[in-house]
Amino acid sequence: MSANAYDLGLRLRAMETGSPVARSSCAHFRLRRNADVVAVATMTGEPDAVWGIAYGQWSSQRAASFAEAVADPRSFADQVDLFSRFGRKLKAVHDLQPEGWFPQVVVSSAPAWQHLHAASSRLARVEDLDARYAAEMFLWASERMEHPGSQAVTVLSALFGGHWTAPAPADEDELLDTWLSAFSREMARYGRPITRSRDDHPDDARTTPAFDEEVRKPLAAMARARTQGRPEQAKALAHSIPPRVLKVVRDRFSRAAHLLRAYEALAPAPLAGIDALTEDDLYTWKRFRDSRERGFRVARQDRFKDAVMGLRSREQAAEAWERLLIYGDALVRQRAVHDGRAVDGTVAAAGNAEFTVRTLQPMLRFRTGTKVAAVGHPHLDGEIVALGIAGSDATHLRVRLAKPTLEVASLAQPIMLVEPPPDFGMMKRSQGNALGRMKSLGWIHDLDQDPPPSLNRPVPADVLGRAQWLRAL
Amino acid sequence: MAARAVTGVSIGTAAPPATGVDPLEEVLSLCWAGHPAIVLASPPGGGKSYCLELVGSTMVTELGERVMVTTQTNAQAHDLAERYARAYPSLPVYLLTRSGAAVEISRRFARFPNVTVVDRPRDLGDGPSVVLSTTRRWEWVGLDVFHADLLVADEAWQMTYADLAMVAPLADRMLLVGDPGQIAPVTTAPLLRWLDQAAAPHRPAPAAVLATRGDDVAFVQLRHSRRLGPPTVSLVQPAFYPDLPFGSARPQRSLSGGGLGTSHLNAGRETCMVEVPGEPYGLADPEVAAVCAQVVTDAIGVAEVVQGEERRTLGPADVGVSCAHVVQVAAVRSALGPAYSEVMVDTAERWQGLERELMVVAHPLSGRDELTEFARDAGRLCVMLSRHRAGCVMVSRGGLRELLNRGAAEATRNVGILAPDGLRGWNAHNSVLDAVEAAGVLVARPGD
């Protein structure tokens, strides 16, 4: 059965029973108890204009510890002001954290994250340092999102979608309401179930037509007062809007916090080795903090050094995450058998230095020289030294063990070979090594340097004669 | 199994390339003169390896310099070390391997006394020598431990600009040698952030170097292919190397006899296409795999390579099958069975740098219902159509033109990049298909 067919089967079952169905995988995100939840509201049709933000720790607070809104999100000055207040709050929280800490951000829905990212991109260059802190911090989180396996940021709906199939169409998976409905009964056990309010909107980040209608008149009156030069009246009218927005974002925060409590109680065991992945998050957070102390850089494109480090870091994360998933998650591993990234077979010959695996699997991505680990048999790690077709549709893989073992594999024993889990120590050293090399970039990569002069050595005629090979053809 | 061979590409001799200074002389002169950066672009089979040998040995023996050669795979490093050892028995050659692998690898080089295999950079000699290793290994060599006069990068178009940044500080000057038509470096990370930069870290090193420091870099190109005959050059050059004119310098060579596919190849025709009737079946198409296998089995022991008066019957080691996907490799291997285990069946990535007398190509667009970036990649098709010395048989389902027409507008465009890779691939596929169509009959339609 293909992965798509399996997913379709789960969804049909969920739809039929009206309850979420577990995917049988392990947890790919280690949710911290002090993770920060961020909920936002934006004006319909204004993707980079944040109307209100609610923020706080989901496990310890019933209500958001920060909730602010502005009268008119289309006003850039108001946006800077909102982010400035938010940035001050974030800094106050972050400055209290111990060494070895990095923020873990949970955003209520995928659209909310897109709006937050769009607003942060706009505000990362303003002069207000507090506003820039908040914006840069979310841009850092956006960047972490591209790193597979990062434990720094997640979208709540994705967190749930990784473990359960919702009784809803696939295109509603990314909505907070989908999971709120799916887990309403389970949530009742971990706190008061929250019913949908009239302000709820399926995409969770934007306001609703009903809300827009509610604030349409005061917004128009405020705009009129501004253009007619009546600041006192405009200010008075502006005060009537934020409380309504605050109600929306506070409610969204509260629902997200409830869902996370249900998640904590229901989530399966975490993927083995997942904690080691946080090294990369920690490393980039430290770099972020360092750059903050030096003053953030305002540039459209990455400098070459940053681009190189970014590319390497992303590539390492992608490879490490894939290996970790195949090694540690039985469901992913079973899928990997179908595309050749895992080998399912039996032991055909065994010794204390080598063993041979016989497999009927048609697809194999392993080759001579590939390092492999036998799942569940740590003493059988080694390297493939020979690979050959043996009779009808069977392939034999001879594995030389990394260390001779006394625990010899038994004949006909079922065995699963995969690439070994990532070496995080090596990854860290590699990153440090690359960073060191960046300090020695030559003129080819550093446009500020002039090329070295040519040595201008005249080439002797007899030496040139050796290059006549092509001409002779 | 109904499959029918049809006539393929019959093209006249390629137009002779521009003549002038011999490119090898030019490269040697530039290296000798101490030019800080040289890029050498070569067509398939253009003599890159010979150039590497010549430059390396000359700089070491005549000028007493230390030359470091960086390759993209271990196999390339081993092959190049062996070539140096064979061609120049008195040249000091070092092969730097990964930690703990020196003893095992040194067994392969036991018969070459001038080759020293080491796994620690500190064991590399101080004197003039050629030192070979992979880019990944060079990254771990300390700048205080090793320094070379000249860095030579083999298959440089498979090396990213970021990789070059890791190894370039180890040498004073550099020579980047490669084939610009091959598959670009594979990156597993999201690249959106740098897509609009001509010198982005994921781009092939020579292309990025020319984009950033073009005025300070010497650019030389080889102008002949020793592997490909005139008909293939006329097919491959306009499609994949529009900016790199080259001709064929290969002696007259052709296939004679054989069965499905190969019987349609002769001195004036090096390429043909076999269409498998029926609807697209997906990637692991058993009928396409079976036809690939049939072309191979019909040719081995029957078809002959003819060069002048010499005739030689094809053996299993003379034939190869190139596929786009691992699943297709598995299907062809399964169709061939263990009796033909000597026939190399592999993906285009693995075929880079290799050649066979007869190549069977499972067309990358065959069986697809949408034109993905992977399927229309120009480098992949270029590698597939340039591995043969005598003949190439493409095997495909029909409907390639319709598929290309459907995907015409899908090439991703980014601000600042005038010729995106997707568009380049789309043009290349069309160009190859145009050439096949221009030759007359193209593919057999089901029911013909």
Side-chain angles (χ1 to χ4, degrees), chain A residues 72-204:
Chain A
D72 188 350
R74 293 164 297 188
S75 158
F76 190 68
D78 283 3
Q79 288 287 288
V80 174
D81 191 42
L82 175 66
F83 266 67
S84 181
R85 281 176 278 156
F86 186 34
R88 268 199 298 281
K89 172 70 181 175
L90 279 175
K91 264 167 68 175
V93 173
H94 292 174
D95 287 346
L96 287 175
Q97 301 304 325
E99 188 71 20
W101 174 91
F102 64 91
Q104 190 175 58
V105 181
V106 182
V107 184
S108 55
S109 69
W113 181 251
Q114 288 160 11
H115 294 309
L116 207 49
H117 173 76
S120 298
S121 304
R122 208 156 66 111
L123 293 164
R125 297 163 200 173
V126 295
E127 286 183 5
D128 185 307
L129 290 179
D130 291 332
R132 273 172 66 171
Y133 182 84
E136 287 276 2
M137 186 266 181
F138 282 114
L139 290 182
W140 170 81
S142 287
E143 194 171 321
R144 295 310 299 158
M145 249 189 172
E146 286 184 5
H147 291 242
S150 169
Q151 303 292 296
V153 58
T154 190
V155 171
L156 192 139
S157 47
L159 198 60
F160 276 77
H163 304 304
W164 296 283
T165 303
D171 57 358
E172 290 179 13
D173 272 359
E174 65 175 27
L175 308 179
L176 181 61
D177 274 354
T178 300
W179 299 101
L180 199 68
S181 315
F183 281 86
S184 57
R185 270 181 299 178
E186 282 79 358
M187 281 171 58
R189 294 163 53 199
Y190 305 102
R192 183 175 58 83
I194 294 176
T195 52
R196 291 179 63 167
S197 72
R198 72 187 182 91
D199 289 328
D200 283 341
H201 189 271
D203 77 4
D204 190 56

Side-chain angles (χ1 to χ4, degrees), chain B residues 21-45:
Chain B
V21 181
D22 184 294
L24 274 188
E25 280 185 23
E26 202 177 344
V27 169
L28 201 55
S29 302
L30 287 163
C31 286
W32 190 286
H35 198 285
I38 307 158
V39 171
L40 175 64
S42 166

